[in-house]
Amino acid sequence: MTEQLRPFEVGDCDIVAAYSKEQALTLLNEYYGDNFTLEDMDITDLSDDLDRKFHLEEGGAETLGELMSRVYKPQYLFGW
């Protein structure tokens, strides 16, 4: 069985694509240059919320599912 990338909300305002909560936290730490721990941050798997819409900086909106359909590797996606 192959692991699947999942969207995670890390903290209150960052979305990352990762295989696990631990990897999501690592990606956030790399992005910000911080050293948060699992005890420091709430991490929520948004796999059941793929119809959630996010407004794009360039205008318009996109669902989390649409965004995830173009993601093929673990990465920081966006924040607000």
Side-chain angles (χ1 to χ4, degrees):
M1 187 167 142
T2 304
E3 284 187 286
Q4 184 173 353
L5 280 173
R6 296 176 286 165
F8 290 93
E9 183 172 1
V10 184
D12 294 328
C13 59
D14 291 289
I15 307 293
V16 300
Y19 292 111
S20 67
K21 287 183 176 186
E22 292 80 9
Q23 185 179 46
L25 181 62
T26 297
L27 290 166
L28 185 79
N29 281 331
E30 289 172 357
Y31 185 80
Y32 285 114
D34 284 321
N35 195 25
F36 294 114
T37 67
L38 289 172
E39 291 78 30
D40 296 330
M41 303 296 278
D42 289 326
I43 302 174
T44 306
D45 185 340
L46 298 177
S47 295
D48 292 332
D49 202 12
L50 296 178
D51 59 344
R52 183 174 172 184
K53 283 198 173 190
F54 292 93
H55 294 280
L56 306 174
E57 286 184 16
E58 21 333 302
E62 180 172 51
T63 67
L64 188 54
E66 290 168 334
L67 176 62
M68 287 300 295
S69 72
R70 297 189 310 275
V71 175
Y72 299 100
K73 64 179 184 172
Q75 61 187 284
Y76 180 90
L77 297 175
F78 62 90
W80 59 92

